[in-house]
Amino acid sequence: MSNSRNRRKHPEAVRREVLAETARLLLEKGPAGVTLDAVSQAAGVSKGGLLHHFPNKLALLDGLFDDLAHRFDQALAERMAADPVEKGRFTRAYIAVCFPAGGVAEGEEGWKALTVAMISEPHLRERLRSWVDGRAEVRAEAPLDALLVRYAVDGIWLSDLLGAPSMTPAQRAAMMERLIALSPS
């Protein structure tokens, strides 16, 4: 059985491969290096096959955003479902998902790539703002401490993504404990 025939039977696998190669190209070459030709070649799919899933570069970037945001939402929902205390649940889940003991967790390379793209793509920055604005939990937990926690976690997350000097494991654990203590309860 040929690889192309096998791919036709697994379009989701093709889509995942295309998104993975888009992320890799973003990291290696920046947004300008992400062209339909470069992605199709890197993913080993025809340009027509790529266009079947993503009709243009913006659709590729949107697809990467959608994939990462979906996985992030799932992780948040799982953490929130496991937290028996309703007040502050979103903030504690946000801390746990964005600030794990070892640094940025699942999808790290994808988030690094998307962060690179957001710098030059106002459309993606607006999508991120809309994602945050669309979370009723964020608005419900908007006292100053919850905002302080979210911005602190975002700063640490970005520092991790950029490979900036990190905290020791003990400092990281203490910081996470302090941030959880600041979450609404």
Side-chain angles (χ1 to χ4, degrees), residues 14-162:
V14 172
R15 187 176 191 286
R16 281 193 309 270
E17 180 66 20
V18 165
L19 291 176
E21 289 302 325
T22 300
R24 186 184 64 74
L25 287 168
L26 275 167
L27 286 174
E28 289 179 7
K29 301 180 185 275
V34 176
T35 64
L36 296 178
D37 287 331
V39 172
S40 67
Q41 183 177 4
V45 298
S46 68
K47 194 166 179 182
L50 172 66
L51 293 171
H52 172 74
H53 293 281
F54 304 101
N56 55 47
K57 180 178 174 176
L58 189 56
L60 270 171
L61 298 176
D62 278 337
L64 184 59
F65 183 95
D66 291 340
D67 181 60
L68 292 167
H70 175 73
R71 286 190 279 153
F72 188 74
D73 281 337
Q74 283 182 318
L76 282 174
E78 288 170 12
R79 288 290 186 153
M80 289 173 64
D83 188 337
V85 179
E86 185 174 347
K87 189 170 184 183
R89 184 180 291 158
F90 178 84
T91 300
R92 289 186 298 278
Y94 194 80
I95 294 167
V97 172
C98 294
F99 190 32
V104 173
E106 185 178 335
E108 179 177 344
E109 292 301 310
W111 281 112
K112 281 182 184 178
L114 197 59
T115 301
V116 167
M118 279 190 215
I119 291 168
S120 63
E121 293 289 341
H123 169 75
L124 292 175
R125 290 193 304 272
E126 182 54 39
R127 292 211 53 208
L128 181 63
R129 274 192 291 277
S130 293
W131 180 89
V132 172
D133 289 346
R135 299 297 167 280
E137 301 92 342
V138 174
R139 291 190 302 278
E141 296 181 10
L144 185 58
D145 284 348
L147 288 173
L148 177 64
V149 168
R150 189 172 64 96
Y151 284 115
V153 169
D154 287 352
I156 294 163
W157 178 79
L158 184 59
S159 179
D160 287 346
L161 283 178
L162 297 176

